[in-house]
Amino acid sequence: MLLFAGLGNPGTQYQNNRHNVGFMAADAIARRHSFSPWTKKFKGLIAEGSIAGEKIILIKPQTFMNLSGQSVGEAMRFYKLAPADLIVFYDELDLVAGKVRVKVGGGAGGHNGIRSIDQHIAKDYRRVRIGIGHPGVKEMVHGHVLGDFAKADKEWLDVLLDLLADSAELLTKGDDNGFMNKVTVGLRDKLQPTGTNDAPPPKAAKPQAPKAQSHIRQARPNQPAIKVPETGPMAAMLKKLLGKD
């Protein structure tokens, strides 16, 4: 059995936030693989199903991001799971929008949801980091993360979520590199029009005013700004997606 945890904040006012992309990934997986309806348990919402013959429990903590570990830790203890049985999906400021990377263990990188989980279980679990881009300056981080995805983002976001769900079988089998490659190549192929190398890249949304007390990290000192161009060939985005972290 594996536990897939998507992180986010509960409530309709947060449902389209960049910070809730973990919830979105969990929902996409549940739809794609015909999981059971969501039910309340472990201070969260859970759905059950199977992928590649492996039983999967999906969980969306309803404790708010800062306390995600309470929900995830409770589910881990109930099912007697080890850290290696946990995969967490969450937003990552330090990755360009649309880029996905998987890592095992490591620090929280300023993400309070991950920090909370680290406090409740050992750190050696897999983390699926979903890039939301960086607004460029420290003062705009809060509004960017707690702001909604822009309408222009929907073109690539919907494709990305479908690819995450379609590729979940590789995660289940432990093929993290295969998962990342399938998502990256799939995003490139689906967003690039047939017969041309040009396509509109994702557009950065304007950061919105904070909706609640900040519970997210600030920009790292001396970190270069990540800018998504308004115009230009799709190759610019693909170069970033295919590049190293």
Side-chain angles (χ1 to χ4, degrees):
M1 178 189 294
L2 296 175
L3 181 68
F4 283 11
L7 303 189
N9 286 311
T12 56
Q13 69 270 41
Y14 301 110
Q15 65 184 3
N16 294 315
N17 285 183
R18 295 178 181 85
H19 213 26
N20 271 38
V21 74
F23 274 10
M24 298 175 194
D27 287 334
I29 291 170
R31 289 191 302 268
R32 171 65 177 81
H33 298 279
S34 301
F35 274 51
S36 68
W38 294 97
T39 58
K40 294 181 180 180
K41 198 171 185 179
F42 311 124
K43 299 184 179 70
L45 297 176
I46 69 166
E48 300 182 8
S50 63
I51 301 175
E54 185 84 22
K55 183 175 181 179
I56 307 293
I57 302 294
L58 277 169
I59 186 167
K60 297 189 295 183
Q62 300 295 290
T63 52
F64 285 93
M65 187 68 81
N66 277 6
L67 303 177
S68 297
Q70 292 183 1
S71 176
V72 173
E74 188 173 327
M76 294 281 287
R77 291 187 292 272
F78 179 86
Y79 292 113
K80 297 180 173 59
L81 299 176
D85 301 320
L86 173 65
I87 300 175
V88 180
F89 298 79
Y90 65 98
D91 58 297
E92 176 57 75
L93 270 172
D94 292 339
L95 292 178
V96 66
K99 190 170 187 177
V100 174
R101 285 291 178 266
V102 181
K103 71 173 184 176
V104 178
H111 193 289
N112 284 348
I114 295 299
R115 180 179 292 112
S116 177
I117 294 175
D118 287 350
Q119 292 170 351
H120 286 264
I121 67 171
K123 297 182 179 182
D124 296 331
Y125 56 89
R126 281 187 282 168
R127 302 126 191 261
V128 179
R129 304 155 61 210
I130 304 171
I132 60 169
H134 196 289
V137 294
K138 175 180 177 180
E139 291 75 18
M140 300 174 76
V141 167
H142 189 187
H144 177 74
V145 177
L146 287 182
D148 288 353
F149 280 105
K151 290 182 179 179
D153 293 326
K154 293 291 288 182
E155 179 182 356
W156 64 265
L157 179 62
D158 289 345
V159 172
L160 177 62
L161 293 173
D162 286 343
L163 286 167
L164 291 175
D166 290 341
S167 307
E169 179 177 345
L170 294 170
L171 278 180
T172 302
K173 293 179 177 179
D175 186 0
D176 296 346
N177 288 331
F179 170 80
M180 289 187 286
N181 184 65
K182 185 175 179 179
V183 171
T184 299
V185 173
L187 192 65
R188 179 195 67 193
D189 292 347
K190 290 179 181 294
L191 294 183
Q192 180 173 291
T194 303
T196 178
N197 291 324
D198 295 331
K203 295 181 179 180
K206 293 182 179 180
Q208 298 179 3
K211 297 182 179 180
Q213 184 178 355
S214 177
H215 53 268
I216 49 178
R217 65 179 154 186
Q218 296 299 309
R220 296 177 180 176
N222 301 321
Q223 181 180 359
I226 297 175
K227 297 182 180 180
V228 180
E230 293 289 336
T231 60
M234 189 61 185
M237 173 197 172
L238 298 177
K239 182 177 179 181
K240 292 180 181 179
L241 287 174
L242 296 170
K244 296 181 180 179
D245 292 353

